[in-house]
Amino acid sequence: MVKRFTLIRPDDWHLHLRDGAMMAAALPDTARHFARAIVMPNLQTPITTVDLAQAYRDRILAALPADMRFEPLMTLYLTDNMPVSEIAKAKNSGFVQAVKYYPTGATTHSEHGVTDLKRAYSVLAAMEKLDLPLLLHGEVTDSAVDMFDREAVFIDRHLMPLTRDFPGLRMVLEHITTRAAVDFVRQAPNNVAATITAHHLLLNRNALFEGGLQPHHYCLPLLKRETQRAALVDAATSGNPKFFLGTDSAPHSRQAKESACGCAGIYTAHAAMELYTEIFERAGALDRLEAFASFHGSDFYRLPRNRDTLTLEQRSWTVPEELYFGKDTVVPLRAGKTMAWTVLT
Ligand SMILES: NC(=O)N[C@@H](CC(=O)O)C(=O)O
Ligand SMILES: [Zn+2]
Ligand SMILES: [Zn+2]
């Protein structure tokens, strides 16, 4: 018998759509399967104001194919000098759902990020008061800290004080990669949650070096060792509502990845649900995929759960070697390799 299951349509709580031709090409991959996505604000010119978010949202909706329904949930990029008044404006907009913190220099297009969290304290206080969630790229950028330890050190140095100083602020530790993050989120109060990517659930750091340097497995936070990956699978498949799906699908051109100074980011939107299904199936937890993908995130963001459904079938297909995104080509995760599950459309 063919193996097949149906779940309430999922949402992606951490997504990079980019802009222009790249966005127009990437968008259908997400919109085909997900009802909504939290759209990251790290464009070349970061989305630092509600007006910029509105214009970006309009561009996304204009690029959406006529036969697709999709709701982009917008975010603002926190900077050292965001005016406190922008928070009330964001809350009242109805389309800005969160504010994103990037430590300056931590990742792609983070040059405008926050230099010292203390500088953002009045904005964070307004977010706490108005109940607008804070999303964290949780890594320190201190060059004295080993690249593989940057998430754990961020938790000690910054996240613990943040949760003490803003006990009412909803926070999402994005794209977690370590047992330290899993443990921290588990013991924290319910205002603290985390997203988990498919690639951090599937791959450990060996994937960066298998048979030679693998730039298409380079992302931030870096892939970690096997024991850490296993802790993430435990968290994702545990049924704990603090953990939910966020692909961090992040397209970069082949040229930008296969370079002497390659960009961080892995493209997974072409096969996101199929990848998560593989992980949950292997963990014997297919019955918990729906809550992770379709309930926990909307509950945390206090948005209604979706009503329509998505069906997956155990049928193999081959991922293309590359995708044509405007003038760029993007090498997706699993390029040229086989997927075990297919979304029925
Ligand atoms: N995850 C990544 O490696 N890259 C993301 C940025 C981010 O989420 O840190 C990107 O925008 O390319
Ligand atoms: Zn990030
Ligand atoms: Zn990201």
Side-chain angles (χ1 to χ4, degrees), residues 27-205:
L27 178 62
D29 278 349
T30 292
R32 248 193 300 278
H33 300 165
F34 294 94
R36 299 168 288 195
I38 286 277
V39 179
M40 288 295 140
N42 63 328
L43 302 187
Q44 214 133 28
T45 305
I47 303 297
T48 51
T49 67
V50 176
D51 291 347
L52 286 170
Q54 178 156 29
Y56 184 30
R57 180 174 182 274
D58 290 346
R59 292 197 296 281
I60 294 167
L61 291 174
L64 189 67
D67 60 337
M68 288 188 187
R69 285 223 323 259
F70 174 73
E71 192 183 348
L73 307 171
M74 309 311 291
T75 57
L76 296 189
Y77 185 117
L78 186 61
T79 64
D80 281 352
N81 34 28
M82 177 181 280
V84 175
S85 58
E86 205 63 24
I87 298 306
K89 205 173 162 188
K91 186 73 191 179
N92 294 331
S93 73
F95 55 82
V96 175
Q97 296 293 345
V99 174
K100 179 69 188 273
Y101 162 81
Y102 292 99
T104 185
T107 187
T108 304
H109 298 150
S110 63
E111 325 50 73
H112 306 277
V114 174
T115 58
D116 179 355
L117 262 169
K118 286 271 176 324
R119 295 193 187 192
Y121 260 40
S122 52
V123 171
L124 298 182
M127 289 168 61
E128 180 182 41
K129 190 156 156 247
L130 297 178
D131 198 22
L132 190 66
L134 174 68
L135 314 182
L136 300 149
H137 180 107
E139 288 194 292
V140 294
T141 50
D142 184 343
S143 59
V145 176
D146 187 275
M147 279 295 291
F148 290 93
D149 296 336
R150 290 181 176 191
E151 182 174 277
V153 173
F154 176 85
I155 292 168
D156 288 345
R157 279 193 201 166
H158 300 296
L159 189 54
M160 285 190 186
L162 263 184
T163 53
R164 266 199 306 274
D165 295 344
F166 301 98
L169 178 61
R170 277 185 289 155
M171 296 178 216
V172 185
L173 188 55
E174 300 288 339
H175 48 40
I176 60 170
T177 62
T178 57
R179 178 181 296 280
V182 168
D183 289 346
F184 180 82
V185 171
R186 275 208 176 109
Q187 60 74 47
N190 286 338
N191 59 311
V192 180
T195 54
I196 311 183
T197 75
H199 48 278
H200 289 107
L201 290 167
L202 280 165
L203 304 174
N204 65 36
R205 65 192 198 181

Side-chain angles (χ1 to χ4, degrees), residues 238-281:
S238 67
N240 185 329
K242 290 175 158 183
F243 299 106
F244 43 86
L245 185 156
T247 63
D248 193 20
S249 180
H252 289 278
S253 70
R254 178 192 276 277
Q255 209 179 3
K257 296 285 293 175
E258 298 175 4
S259 147
C261 186
C263 291
I266 297 180
Y267 189 72
T268 53
H270 63 297
M273 279 311 295
E274 297 91 327
L275 292 165
Y276 281 106
T277 299
E278 255 179 50
I279 296 150
F280 276 69
E281 187 195 28

Side-chain angles (χ1 to χ4, degrees), residues 5 29 32-34 198 202 245 268-282 286 289 310-313 315 317 319 334 339-345:
F5 69 97
D29 278 349
R32 248 193 300 278
H33 300 165
F34 294 94
L202 280 165
L245 185 156
T268 53
H270 63 297
M273 279 311 295
E274 297 91 327
L275 292 165
Y276 281 106
T277 299
E278 255 179 50
I279 296 150
F280 276 69
E281 187 195 28
R282 208 176 300 156
L286 259 190
L289 178 61
L310 192 75
T311 299
L312 285 105
E313 186 174 280
R315 180 165 20 110
W317 57 286
V319 176
R334 285 276 175 88
M339 298 290 307
W341 289 85
T342 306
V343 174
L344 297 187
T345 43

